[in-house]
Amino acid sequence: MGAVPCRRALLLCNGMRYKLLQEGDIQVCVIRHPRTFLSKILTSKFLRRWEPHHLTLADNSLASATPTGYMENSVSYSAIEDVQLLSWENAPKYCLQLTIPGGTVLLQAANSYLRDQWFHSLQWKKKIYKYKKVLSNPSRWEVVLKEIRTLVDMALTSPLQDDSINQAPLEIVSKLLSENTNLTTQEHENIIVAIAPLLENNHPPPDLCEFFCKHCRERPRSMVVIEVFTPVVQRILKHNMDFGKCPRLRLFTQEYILALNELNAGMEVVKKFIQSMHGPTGHCPHPRVLPNLVAVCLAAIYSCYEEFINSRDNSPSLKEIRNGCQQPCDRKPTLPLRLLHPSPDLVSQEATLSEARLKSVVVASSEIHVEVERTSTAKPALTASAGNDSEPNLIDCLMVSPACSTMSIELGPQADRTLGCYVEILKLLSDYDDWRPSLASLLQPIPFPKEALAHEKFTKELKYVIQRFAEDPRQEVHSCLLSVRAGKDGWFQLYSPGGVACDDDGELFASMVHILMGSCYKTKKFLLSLAENKLGPCMLLALRGNQTMVEILCLMLEYNIIDNNDTQLQIISTLESTDVGKRMYEQLCDRQRELKELQRKGGPTRLTLPSKSTDADLARLLSSGSFGNLENLSLAFTNVTSACAEHLIKLPSLKQLNLWSTQFGDAGLRLLSEHLTMLQVLNLCETPVTDAGLLALSSMKSLCSLNMNSTKLSADTYEDLKVIPSFLASSSPPFCSQHMDAGASPARSSFSSERC
């Protein structure tokens, strides 16, 4: 029964893995003795009594939940001189020996696994506590670097399997770097290389992320960025679940990609990185990569405009940008002219519309009455389905300029490079077939700031991504071009003609309409939305021979989308102006005879050309059919010039002509004055006409309403026009309206005259 001497059990690597203990129940026995009697006490058959305790392994000490008896005072890790495993052959005891000054603490576990778990956990806590002390006050950095390498090796070889095993050394190094900011670049790189093995399976803590971001900004061409940071960022993109909880990981990923872009190959390196994240197969095996990349791109793009956003207290809404945002201190928009309607019922309509306006300001003078009407700034909308007699005059529908001014956004050099890099990444993401459905879904709510959507460079570059969506035959992709819900703008609205992002002649718009009509969107509801909001662009593209738009117009007629006869006649004339339109319209007439009968009545009385129409578009339209009944023609905000006058003079019944904001000049004005004897209303607002052309208007005897706001009208010509009999011959007192911008010279005065 003799007891054998105690044996120190040396741990050999046997492949066992343990979870790091934070607390647990265990039996405790404390023996106070001098060291010379230790072996005799431990080999004794009888020990002192054991006490059950619930011990907690805190950061600094070993403490009991019930601080009484043996564990009345906690045992500091710094006081523990050694941790050993003990066993007896004659007794099934599983004990640990903690050597402390003046005695021994024995911990008895229920089995060998729990004993080993306590042993490794205590050793780990003791060593981490020591490294925190050693690295908190560094003296020589070569010694610090050696200690860091030892700490990393300890974490890698520990049998404990827990996230905190690798995170604890990283946090120690992170705190060390945050407290010592005067390190050299070489010392930075040595520390990064030393902790690199821990980063292969762990995210860097927040402070360490800031250190990595600083290194990427200051030394983007360092080999550490490629060799060490690349696997770290790859792991972040593959396994991160929420950047909202760890935004510094996102910032580190953003700075890493920008560092890649600073290399000699630039975007080629970034492209290879994106390819490595996707993988060589046609389907990416990591579902978190795409949403994480998109989150990084959105945050980076937002940061480019953050300074501009913060500097604008009155940042406009997206609707204001779409309709034309006006900067403070810009010139006031041109006040619209109230046209004269000879018909009594139209005059009553004018009175009804005027009730919505604010009270006019009338100033009396010795010669004239100056009246400035303050109208609503909202642009009147053309309702295609309204076909009753109360429909507003088509020429009045474009009396308010669609854009007074646009936002001017200029980014700094660094923000410009950042924007270019991350927009290019979005373009790369859209090239992968398996990523495109998810990318379209993520971008459908338009997650970019409105300042970005008002920036021409951004929308021009992003157009490639929208084009890829429009070319994809899958419904889950191209359906994301539409708004995510009613009342919000989608990519279809932003990139359509008149949208804030449209910079072409409607090519992308036609592509989007084609793919949407080719799928399940070939419905009356979609056609109604086009008729209400995009009828002008559809007719303009059809006038230029776009087959998709020709089909759209034919479907509008076939499904009876348009109720107004004049609008129907204009659509018919548009169709007959091209060969493909004429052919499809004839096929439609074979099915619906009433359309042919409608055209035989002499054509429309009102006609409005879409914005951006040219002289060629007007010539093609007017040569397509009969326009003998045309009385009202609006060319406002189109690209027509004086060359179109030779076609306008072939409209003998024309009474109202709107040339607002066109390039119609003096040559065309002279031609109109010679031939259009029936013309009563003429709008020349914001046209390049001069005194030479305006004086020719004296021969137009029927003219009774003239708008020359924002033209090069001189004071002398103004006086000459005031005595024209056609303006002054009236049984009622003459009415003149004049508006001059503040500080404008007489040569830039605005003039309008009406005969009531």
Side-chain angles (χ1 to χ4, degrees), residues 301 305 419 423 426 448-449 451-463 491 495:
I301 292 173
Y305 299 94
L419 179 67
V423 173
L426 290 177
F448 304 103
E451 285 77 9
L453 299 177
H455 189 198
E456 182 179 358
K457 179 179 180 180
F458 172 75
T459 54
K460 186 175 182 180
E461 293 295 327
L462 193 66
K463 182 179 177 181
W491 297 114
Y495 278 92

Side-chain angles (χ1 to χ4, degrees), residues 179-304:
E179 294 176 351
N180 298 270
T181 59
N182 57 346
L183 299 180
T184 64
T185 303
Q186 188 60 43
E187 289 170 341
H188 280 180
E189 294 192 354
N190 290 337
I191 293 176
I192 293 174
V193 173
I195 64 175
L198 293 178
L199 297 173
E200 293 180 1
N201 298 312
N202 298 275
H203 293 336
D207 292 339
L208 200 58
C209 284
E210 287 192 0
F211 172 71
F212 289 169
C213 290
K214 180 180 178 182
H215 192 79
C216 288
R217 288 190 295 265
E218 294 179 353
R219 297 203 64 190
R221 298 175 180 269
S222 171
M223 290 305 298
V224 169
V225 175
I226 301 295
E227 297 178 356
V228 179
F229 290 167
T230 298
V232 179
V233 174
Q234 288 177 336
R235 187 182 188 280
I236 292 173
L237 292 175
K238 290 178 181 178
H239 300 287
N240 179 69
M241 298 301 294
D242 186 6
F243 276 131
K245 296 180 180 179
C246 42
R248 293 183 184 178
L249 289 180
R250 184 190 63 207
L251 183 62
F252 167 50
T253 306
Q254 176 181 334
E255 294 292 344
Y256 165 78
I257 294 176
L258 290 177
L260 295 184
N261 194 41
E262 293 294 328
L263 299 178
N264 292 334
M267 283 307 302
E268 286 299 321
V269 181
V270 177
K271 183 177 181 180
K272 291 180 180 179
F273 174 74
I274 299 298
Q275 290 175 345
S276 69
M277 296 308 304
H278 180 274
T281 62
H283 185 78
C284 179
H286 305 286
R288 292 301 310 168
V289 169
L290 177 66
N292 284 336
L293 279 173
V294 173
V296 172
C297 291
L298 295 181
I301 292 173
Y302 183 89
S303 68
C304 296

Side-chain angles (χ1 to χ4, degrees), residues 379-452:
K379 177 181 177 181
L382 171 60
T383 306
S385 60
N388 51 32
D389 294 337
S390 63
E391 182 190 23
N393 194 327
L394 294 182
I395 198 172
D396 292 334
C397 292
L398 290 177
M399 289 304 294
V400 177
S401 175
C404 299
S405 63
T406 57
M407 296 184 64
S408 176
I409 297 179
E410 294 183 3
L411 302 179
Q414 181 59 36
D416 196 62
R417 287 194 296 271
T418 302
L419 179 67
C421 174
Y422 282 98
V423 173
E424 192 67 27
I425 290 177
L426 290 177
K427 293 163 69 174
L428 292 174
L429 298 179
S430 67
D431 287 333
Y432 290 94
D433 291 339
D434 60 318
W435 276 352
R436 202 174 299 131
S438 298
L439 179 63
S441 177
L442 291 171
L443 297 185
Q444 184 181 15
I446 310 185
F448 304 103
K450 52 183 175 290
E451 285 77 9

Side-chain angles (χ1 to χ4, degrees), residues 387-588:
N388 51 32
D389 294 337
S390 63
E391 182 190 23
N393 194 327
L394 294 182
I395 198 172
D396 292 334
C397 292
L398 290 177
M399 289 304 294
V400 177
S401 175
C404 299
S405 63
T406 57
M407 296 184 64
S408 176
I409 297 179
E410 294 183 3
L411 302 179
Q414 181 59 36
D416 196 62
R417 287 194 296 271
T418 302
L419 179 67
C421 174
Y422 282 98
V423 173
E424 192 67 27
I425 290 177
L426 290 177
K427 293 163 69 174
L428 292 174
L429 298 179
S430 67
D431 287 333
Y432 290 94
D433 291 339
D434 60 318
W435 276 352
R436 202 174 299 131
S438 298
L439 179 63
S441 177
L442 291 171
L443 297 185
Q444 184 181 15
I446 310 185
F448 304 103
K450 52 183 175 290
E451 285 77 9
L453 299 177
H455 189 198
E456 182 179 358
K457 179 179 180 180
F458 172 75
T459 54
K460 186 175 182 180
E461 293 295 327
L462 193 66
K463 182 179 177 181
Y464 177 86
V465 179
I466 308 305
Q467 183 70 50
R468 296 292 287 165
F469 295 163
E471 294 172 352
D472 198 297
R474 292 170 291 185
Q475 180 186 343
E476 63 268 25
V477 178
H478 59 248
S479 63
C480 293
L481 295 171
L482 300 173
S483 58
V484 68
R485 65 177 182 269
K488 287 186 66 68
D489 277 339
W491 297 114
F492 179 77
Q493 286 81 14
L494 292 184
Y495 278 92
S496 61
V500 65
C502 182
D503 62 348
D504 55 17
D505 292 330
E507 297 178 2
L508 179 57
F509 173 67
S511 178
M512 291 189 290
V513 172
H514 175 75
I515 192 67
L516 290 171
M517 288 297 295
S519 60
C520 67
Y521 294 98
K522 194 173 183 178
T523 61
K524 190 172 183 179
K525 182 178 179 181
F526 184 65
L527 290 173
L528 278 171
S529 67
L530 289 178
E532 292 176 358
N533 303 309
K534 303 298 177 184
L535 182 58
C538 289
M539 287 194 293
L540 177 60
L541 294 176
L543 195 61
R544 296 175 179 176
N546 185 278
Q547 185 170 353
T548 300
M549 296 305 163
V550 170
E551 295 176 357
I552 292 293
L553 296 183
C554 288
L555 286 173
M556 288 182 180
L557 294 176
E558 184 175 1
Y559 294 163
N560 199 23
I561 300 296
I562 308 298
D563 295 332
N564 181 262
N565 290 343
D566 283 329
T567 307
Q568 287 182 347
L569 290 172
Q570 183 174 348
I571 291 177
I572 293 173
S573 300
T574 302
L575 292 173
E576 291 194 333
S577 63
T578 60
D579 294 337
V580 60
K582 185 180 298 184
R583 183 177 67 254
M584 296 186 67
Y585 176 64
E586 289 176 354
Q587 295 173 358
L588 178 61

Side-chain angles (χ1 to χ4, degrees), residues 520-676:
C520 67
Y521 294 98
K522 194 173 183 178
T523 61
K524 190 172 183 179
K525 182 178 179 181
F526 184 65
L527 290 173
L528 278 171
S529 67
L530 289 178
E532 292 176 358
N533 303 309
K534 303 298 177 184
L535 182 58
C538 289
M539 287 194 293
L540 177 60
L541 294 176
L543 195 61
R544 296 175 179 176
N546 185 278
Q547 185 170 353
T548 300
M549 296 305 163
V550 170
E551 295 176 357
I552 292 293
L553 296 183
C554 288
L555 286 173
M556 288 182 180
L557 294 176
E558 184 175 1
Y559 294 163
N560 199 23
I561 300 296
I562 308 298
D563 295 332
N564 181 262
N565 290 343
D566 283 329
T567 307
Q568 287 182 347
L569 290 172
Q570 183 174 348
I571 291 177
I572 293 173
S573 300
T574 302
L575 292 173
E576 291 194 333
S577 63
T578 60
D579 294 337
V580 60
K582 185 180 298 184
R583 183 177 67 254
M584 296 186 67
Y585 176 64
E586 289 176 354
Q587 295 173 358
L588 178 61
C589 288
D590 291 339
R591 300 191 299 269
Q592 296 185 356
R593 295 290 181 181
E594 62 273 10
L595 291 175
K596 202 66 175 179
E597 295 297 328
L598 177 65
Q599 190 183 14
R600 291 174 182 171
K601 297 179 180 179
T605 60
R606 302 170 181 175
L607 185 63
T608 302
L609 252 67
S611 61
K612 297 186 179 181
S613 299
T614 62
D615 294 332
D617 297 328
L618 177 62
R620 190 181 302 113
L621 179 63
L622 294 181
S623 62
S624 63
S626 173
F627 290 93
N629 294 338
L630 187 63
E631 296 180 355
N632 303 328
L633 175 61
S634 176
L635 303 177
F637 315 114
T638 63
N639 297 329
V640 298
T641 64
S642 295
C644 72
E646 62 183 42
H647 303 288
L648 297 179
I649 62 177
K650 299 177 182 178
L651 303 172
S653 301
L654 192 62
K655 295 180 180 179
Q656 298 184 13
L657 177 60
N658 188 351
L659 295 170
W660 190 358
S661 191
T662 63
Q663 295 302 312
F664 197 88
D666 293 339
L669 205 56
R670 295 191 190 96
L671 197 58
L672 294 183
S673 64
E674 296 176 2
H675 295 84
L676 293 183

